[in-house]
Amino acid sequence: GAVVSQHPSRVICKSGTSVKIECRSLDFQATTMFWYRQFPKQSLMLMATSNEGSKATYEQGVEKDKFLINHASLTLSTLTVTSAHPEDSSFYICSASEGAVNTEAFFGQGTRLTVV
Amino acid sequence: QKEVEQNSGPLSVPEGAIASLNCTYSDRGSQSFFWYRQYSGKSPELIMFIYSNGDKEDGRFTAQLNKASQYVSLLIRDSQPSDSATYLCAVLSGGYQKVTFGIGTKLQVIP
């Protein structure tokens, strides 16, 4: 399968600071990238969908000013958690798809964010 | 009613047995169905996808889809301890072209 690289795999930050997570498709062009959040013992929850060169589409209840998504190229999307708080601590996962929807999308390794 | 429902488990089966994982969904217009395996602390990995009613086999894995009953299942034959993981059912909805995940079923294969 295709390779999606997510970095960093683990990050600890202080409350009030911002954290940037990168998601790269290494061997294909990702028309669409998806960002998920997974709390312990819960399912993946889609946060937003980003298409290269356009603004991200956020799911209901996700603050777009807090979770900044940039999809500047066909191989890179970034998620920035701004002014992080302890309740933002979670497992963040990106996935990338060559098509418009996340069918057969490939997942990155995930980023464990801990806000202290 | 949740869009995609799974029993969270754990489901325990002895090594070598068949593990049966079940999933129901609420959107009748759903088009595609996926099974992912997720090890603790790791990202999901796609095991199988199925679009049409009936069975689809790939090695030790068989996905079964019944759209009339809005039911999809995953069978794992000759279960191995390395199969122990959480299995996520995901459904592509017809209207919104969005994949929704179930909570996942934790499978434990006992040696």
Side-chain angles (χ1 to χ4, degrees), chain A residues 6 36 38 41-46 59 91-94 100-110 112, chain B residues 6 32 34 36 38 40-46 49 51 88-89 92 96-104:
Chain A
Q6 188 174 339
Y36 295 86
Q38 186 178 35
K41 299 190 179 182
Q42 294 190 25
S43 190
L44 280 75
M45 297 300 295
L46 181 64
E59 295 299 303
F91 192 47
Y92 292 85
I93 310 172
C94 72
V101 298
N102 50 349
T103 54
E104 301 179 51
F106 300 96
F107 285 88
Q109 303 95 318
R112 174 74 60 192
Chain B
Q6 291 181 261
S32 308
F34 307 85
Y36 289 86
Q38 186 176 27
S40 181
K42 303 293 184 183
S43 272
E45 54 179 324
L46 181 66
F49 58 89
Y51 303 134
L88 301 169
C89 170
L92 176 65
Y96 297 100
Q97 291 289 289
K98 183 176 77 172
V99 171
T100 302
F101 286 84
I103 195 170

Side-chain angles (χ1 to χ4, degrees), chain B residues 14 21 65:
Chain B
L21 304 161
L65 174 61

Side-chain angles (χ1 to χ4, degrees), chain B:
Chain B
Q1 182 187 7
K2 292 181 182 176
E3 294 180 46
V4 179
E5 293 214 43
Q6 291 181 261
N7 188 321
S8 61
L11 171 67
S12 295
V13 299
E15 183 174 356
I18 296 176
S20 178
L21 304 161
N22 304 315
C23 173
T24 59
Y25 59 94
S26 60
D27 182 2
R28 281 200 171 273
S30 298
Q31 302 168 345
S32 308
F33 308 86
F34 307 85
W35 282 101
Y36 289 86
R37 177 173 61 199
Q38 186 176 27
Y39 292 108
S40 181
K42 303 293 184 183
S43 272
E45 54 179 324
L46 181 66
I47 298 175
M48 292 192 70
F49 58 89
I50 186 168
Y51 303 134
S52 306
N53 275 327
D55 294 359
K56 180 181 178 183
E57 187 175 319
D58 183 1
R60 295 188 295 115
F61 300 98
T62 299
Q64 299 175 318
L65 174 61
N66 184 325
K67 289 187 177 181
S69 300
Q70 295 174 243
Y71 176 92
V72 58
S73 65
L74 179 70
L75 301 178
I76 306 175
R77 288 182 299 280
D78 188 23
S79 297
Q80 301 297 309
S82 57
D83 295 326
S84 297
T86 297
Y87 289 80
L88 301 169
C89 170
V91 176
L92 176 65
S93 65
Y96 297 100
Q97 291 289 289
K98 183 176 77 172
V99 171
T100 302
F101 286 84
I103 195 170
T105 299
K106 185 173 183 178
L107 173 66
Q108 295 177 337
V109 180
I110 312 301

Side-chain angles (χ1 to χ4, degrees), chain A residues 77-88:
Chain A
S77 176
T78 60
L79 167 67
T80 301
V81 183
T82 63
S83 187
H85 291 284
E87 56 265 31
D88 297 324

Side-chain angles (χ1 to χ4, degrees), chain A residues 9 12 14 29 40 44 46 54 65 71-72 74 90 97 109 115:
Chain A
S9 58
I12 300 173
K14 290 185 178 180
Q29 293 187 325
L44 280 75
L46 181 64
S54 61
D65 294 330
H71 192 164
L74 284 171
S90 185
S97 173
Q109 303 95 318
V115 184

